[in-house]
Structures are given as C-alpha cells and as structure tokens.
Amino acid sequence: MANFVRITETIVSFGPNLGRPYTSSLGEGLFEIRAKGVAGIGRAFFCTLKGRRVVILHSFIKKSQKTPKKELAIACKRLKEVQNV
C-alpha cells in the first residue's frame, strides 16, 4: 500500500509517464501503476484528464504473470466513460 501511495504522489508531482518500474503507458491515454507489496504485485489503471487530474480507473492484485484481459477490459470501459463526461 505504501508503495502505491508513493507512486501516485510522484505521478501528481511529475506526470503520469514515470516509466518502468513505476508506471507504463498502455496507449490511448491509459496508464498502469506497477506496485509491489506484502499482498503481492498490484496493478492500477489510470488516466489523466484536463487540469492534470489523475483518475484511478481500476486496481487489482495480480495472480498470474500476464495481466488478465478481464481486468484490462474493465479499465478500458471506465476510461471511455470518464472521457465522455
């Protein structure tokens, strides 16, 4: 949890494209926070909106090597929702 908070604070200060190992761009305005903690490897998908606002769209604890398509689909759906507001 502390790692996630530290990464999000850094995003607010320096922008979303911190690069690996902290963030990665997935294209189309979607980014991924890559955090490790006691519970495992966490991922959170986020986007930025006008005014440098950062919106966390979806987060989960990874159970496998690859990011599940279901988790990415949830983030993409929410990205479209917040971009259309």
Side-chain angles (χ1 to χ4, degrees):
M1 181 63 156
N3 190 15
F4 178 79
V5 171
R6 184 178 51 80
I7 293 170
T8 54
E9 288 172 348
T10 305
I11 290 168
V12 171
S13 298
F14 298 103
N17 211 359
L18 299 176
R20 290 184 182 243
Y22 308 110
T23 65
S24 64
S25 173
L26 301 175
E28 307 281 330
L30 185 64
F31 294 88
E32 172 184 52
I33 295 174
R34 306 165 55 84
K36 293 180 182 174
V38 177
I41 297 171
R43 293 291 187 261
F45 298 109
F46 71 97
C47 66
T48 58
L49 299 176
K50 292 179 184 174
R52 291 179 41 106
R53 293 188 322 174
V54 174
V55 178
I56 304 294
L57 302 167
H58 181 59
S59 63
F60 65 100
I61 302 294
K62 281 184 74 170
K63 305 273 189 221
S64 64
Q65 186 73 16
K66 206 166 185 188
T67 299
K69 291 181 181 181
K70 174 186 154 195
E71 306 294 350
L72 186 57
I74 292 169
C76 289
K77 179 180 179 233
R78 292 179 180 168
L79 175 64
K80 289 177 184 173
E81 290 172 1
V82 298
Q83 286 178 335
N84 290 329
V85 172

